[in-house]
Amino acid sequence: MFRFLRDTFLGKDRKEAIGEEYEVKLKKSLKANQKILKEIFINDDTIIFRDFQTHHPNSIQCTLVFANGMVDKDMIQESILYPMMRSSMKEVTCRLDQLDSFIHKIITSNEVKITQDINVLIGGVLYGDTLLLIDGMNKAVLIDTKGWKMRSINEPTAEVIVKGPREGFIESILINTSLIRRKIKNPHLKFQFKQIGRRTKTNIGICYIEGLVNEKILKELYQRLDKIDIDGVLGSNYIEELIMDSPFSPFRTMGYTERPDVVAAKLLEGRIAMIIDGTPVVSTLPFVFQENFEINEDYYENFIFASINRLLRFLAFFLSTSTPAIYVALTTYHQEMIPTKLLLSIVAAREGVPFPTIVEALGMILIFEILRETGVRLPQPVGETISIVGALVIGEAAVEAKFVSAPMVIVVALTGISAFLIYKMRGTVIVIRTIFLLLAGFLGLYGYIFGVMGLFIHLMGMRSFGIPYMINMSSFNKQEIKDTIIRAPWWYMYYRPKLIGDRNVIRKKDAKR
């Protein structure tokens, strides 16, 4: 149903409403070509038209067209203007092969393209290339002169680690591809580019290792990308929502990261990376359940400590989703299951509280999420202060005013702190926690158990680009579970993940058969 709606609203029928391609063709007259481009770039003062002529006596009128702020002006001066104004162009306007020979002898830029496609020329100018128009030619020369400013390569603030590489992706797709190339110096590492977005013309890079990637998954990805017909793409989630499986599920079926080493590790397992120009976030696929609990630091430290930390993340997922539901179920419907002394303590703490336990839990969780979101959105020094002081003051005041009980504050605090351990799943945790809490509030432990059963059924039925979402988690094969709940040492992990890197499953040369 979702695919039908997606194809209906993003299909061919909307092309006219979203944007258009220019069908005009270049002329042999320089003035006519200038007029065409000036009409296209009308009311845009950042597009510069620079007229000049070649060396006398065979001087020919030329024009450079470029976007101010997107180009390296020194490169234009040294690679185009200076060599061309010092050279003559005798009879080169008669034949294209002569022009091609001249351009490659005179222009010193690394990348030069001769084309008549007006849409390619416009896209190049808007992306930092310089357009060279020559009087008497109905073709133009597109020269690579990109030189816009970009931020330096730093460690991603959202994926801080203690041990491991400190570099992270930036907003430039070319820099990001180079960061991956530095990790995997192999000719089988492939990058293929395409544009998505009828108005933004955003460059998308598909990265994979030939010989490891599953060809069926790669083909399926291209088919889904080809169906996208959207006005613009400004971030990775624009594309993810349009191509991912189970779009209404709270669980992600495509991963994301800002770290080149994470992308390199996933490529070596046979996965595919999708790099979007303009964002430091790189998407990876297929993405399965166990990857929610894996971090790159697991592989940079001792496997024993890495396994303990991973077990803690699984425990945090259970605590953050189930603690409020179990507390409400026990205190409301199943008091006989609570030790007597603890039950008396809870009853004494709840004396005077006017709200039912489920209302109390929902209210405290809502306040905690408001404080969390406030701390994220405010400037960092202020946000940290608001989060800590707000939680302490509101919690203590609420208990003293008998709005909530002290045990409930402890339960909500434990739930919130546990969720921070798996922060990338914060949206998923909120949805599941709320569902479990409502079921437990109306049906007790039976409702909670029904919720858990429904969650497992949902997870077992999910797929990511044809790969079962719970792959390996339900397996009893010792090779398949060595990098799931625990992280086995490298000398025990002989094979790549099943069904993902199935073209070349052997990871270690001395793999045991």
Side-chain angles (χ1 to χ4, degrees):
M1 181 64 180
F2 173 76
R3 293 189 183 280
F4 170 76
L5 294 173
R6 181 172 63 191
D7 293 341
T8 300
F9 288 101
L10 298 177
K12 303 294 183 181
D13 298 336
R14 283 196 66 217
K15 282 189 175 180
E16 291 78 8
I18 297 178
E20 61 180 0
E21 300 290 339
Y22 295 98
E23 297 181 356
V24 64
K25 295 183 178 180
L26 293 180
K27 314 295 183 181
K28 287 192 175 182
S29 169
L30 178 62
K31 291 185 178 180
N33 291 335
Q34 288 179 343
K35 183 179 179 180
I36 291 172
L37 291 172
K38 286 181 179 179
E39 288 179 352
I40 294 174
F41 293 118
I42 190 171
N43 296 329
D44 190 345
D45 295 334
T46 63
I47 305 300
I48 308 299
F49 289 79
R50 168 68 161 86
D51 298 326
F52 69 98
Q53 62 183 22
T54 59
H55 186 62
H56 184 80
N58 301 310
S59 61
I60 295 178
Q61 295 294 327
C62 303
T63 298
L64 292 180
V65 184
F66 57 89
N68 193 15
M70 297 287 290
V71 298
D72 186 338
K73 292 185 177 180
D74 292 335
M75 185 183 298
I76 293 177
Q77 177 70 28
E78 297 173 3
S79 301
I80 306 173
L81 285 175
Y82 181 78
M84 289 199 66
M85 294 177 71
R86 298 277 297 178
S87 304
S88 61
M89 298 181 66
K90 184 177 181 180
E91 298 178 355
V92 298
T93 59
C94 301
R95 295 171 53 190
L96 177 60
D97 58 345
Q98 292 176 334
L99 175 61
D100 183 80
S101 175
F102 174 83
I103 292 300
H104 285 85
K105 288 180 180 179
I106 301 302
I107 303 299
T108 59
S109 177
N110 293 327
E111 185 177 343
V112 179
K113 180 192 298 182
I114 299 175
T115 182
Q116 194 178 12
D117 190 336
I118 191 70
N119 295 292
V120 173
L121 297 175
I122 293 171
V125 170
L126 296 176
Y127 196 57
D129 295 336
T130 296
L131 175 60
L132 172 61
L133 299 172
I134 302 173
D135 192 23
M137 288 297 302
N138 62 350
K139 295 183 182 291
V141 183
L142 205 57
I143 306 166
D144 182 13
T145 56
K146 298 178 184 67
W148 60 77
K149 300 296 182 182
M150 63 186 74
R151 67 183 178 92
S152 59
I153 298 173
N154 297 313
E155 182 177 9
T157 57
E159 298 180 67
V160 179
I161 61 174
V162 177
K163 185 179 180 182
R166 303 296 179 182
E167 59 188 8
F169 291 119
I170 61 173
E171 287 71 18
S172 170
I173 190 172
L174 296 178
I175 299 298
N176 292 344
T177 56
S178 69
L179 291 174
I180 298 174
R181 180 73 72 182
R182 286 170 53 191
K183 299 290 183 183
I184 305 177
K185 307 176 187 66
N186 191 297
H188 296 293
L189 177 65
K190 305 298 181 182
F191 293 93
Q192 296 183 356
F193 298 93
K194 64 183 305 175
Q195 288 186 341
I196 297 180
R198 294 180 62 81
R199 297 194 186 278
T200 60
K201 304 292 184 183
T202 305
N203 286 325
I204 308 296
I206 308 300
C207 176
Y208 59 91
I209 297 180
E210 194 174 48
L212 298 185
V213 68
N214 188 318
E215 294 291 345
K216 293 182 180 179
I217 298 176
L218 185 62
K219 182 179 179 180
E220 176 67 18
L221 173 62
Y222 278 116
Q223 289 177 349
R224 296 187 188 186
L225 290 176
D226 290 339
K227 291 181 180 179
I228 296 178
D229 195 352
I230 192 172
D231 199 21
V233 174
L234 302 178
S236 58
N237 200 60
Y238 281 65
I239 297 178
E240 290 176 5
E241 286 191 3
L242 293 171
I243 67 174
M244 68 167 49
D245 301 82
S246 306
F248 296 108
S249 172
F251 291 90
R252 299 181 61 89
T253 53
M254 289 183 66
Y256 69 93
T257 183
E258 294 184 44
R259 287 190 167 273
D261 57 320
V262 174
V263 172
K266 294 185 181 299
L267 291 174
L268 291 171
E269 290 185 341
R271 288 180 169 83
I272 304 169
M274 188 168 62
I275 311 167
I276 295 91
D277 195 20
T279 175
V281 178
V282 173
S283 303
T284 60
L285 59 105
F287 184 81
V288 295
F289 179 74
Q290 68 195 50
E291 292 182 78
N292 289 303
F293 306 94
E294 297 174 356
I295 63 172
N296 55 337
E297 197 169 7
D298 288 346
Y299 305 95
Y300 298 146
E301 61 183 7
N302 185 276
F303 66 94
I304 298 176
F305 302 124
S307 298
I308 293 173
N309 289 333
R310 190 172 293 181
L311 288 170
L312 287 176
R313 292 182 210 113
F314 278 95
L315 177 62
F317 178 74
F318 168 76
L319 293 176
S320 60
T321 57
S322 301
T323 303
I326 293 175
Y327 176 79
V328 169
L330 291 178
T331 56
T332 306
Y333 297 98
H334 309 282
Q335 294 93 342
E336 68 279 1
M337 297 182 66
I338 305 175
T340 304
K341 290 185 178 180
L342 178 59
L343 179 61
L344 293 175
S345 177
I346 294 174
V347 172
R350 279 194 49 79
E351 186 177 355
V353 176
F355 305 109
T357 307
I358 185 173
V359 175
E360 185 183 3
L362 288 172
M364 286 299 296
I365 290 174
L366 177 62
I367 293 173
F368 184 90
E369 294 300 332
I370 291 174
L371 289 173
R372 178 192 59 80
E373 189 68 13
T374 302
V376 172
R377 301 305 165 198
L378 286 174
Q380 187 172 359
V382 180
E384 293 177 353
T385 303
I386 291 293
S387 298
I388 297 173
V389 176
L392 292 174
V393 172
I394 292 177
E396 184 177 356
V399 172
E400 291 183 356
K402 295 296 182 179
F403 286 156
V404 296
S405 61
M408 181 59 71
V409 174
I410 297 173
V411 168
V412 173
L414 176 63
T415 302
I417 294 173
S418 300
F420 287 141
L421 198 57
I422 46 174
Y423 190 71
K424 282 190 175 183
M425 296 184 70
R426 59 190 181 278
T428 304
V429 166
I430 292 173
V431 173
I432 297 175
R433 178 198 300 153
T434 304
I435 294 174
F436 283 180
L437 182 57
L438 292 175
L439 289 173
F442 288 103
L443 300 174
L445 283 180
Y446 297 105
Y448 170 73
I449 293 172
F450 289 151
V452 173
M453 292 171 61
L455 176 62
F456 273 98
I457 293 172
H458 173 68
L459 291 174
M460 289 296 181
M462 289 179 60
R463 288 180 174 270
S464 176
F465 288 83
I467 303 300
Y469 196 60
M470 295 295 286
I471 187 173
N472 297 338
M473 294 294 296
S474 58
S475 174
F476 293 98
N477 187 310
K478 63 179 182 179
Q479 277 295 332
E480 294 175 0
I481 63 175
K482 287 182 178 178
D483 194 19
T484 52
I485 298 179
I486 62 171
R487 201 276 279 182
W490 279 113
W491 60 81
Y492 278 158
M493 292 192 289
Y494 303 114
Y495 305 111
R496 293 185 176 86
K498 183 181 179 182
L499 299 181
I500 299 176
D502 60 352
R503 292 189 64 193
N504 187 352
V505 298
I506 298 178
R507 174 182 280 159
K508 288 177 83 270
K509 189 175 181 180
D510 58 342
K512 296 179 180 179
R513 291 290 185 178

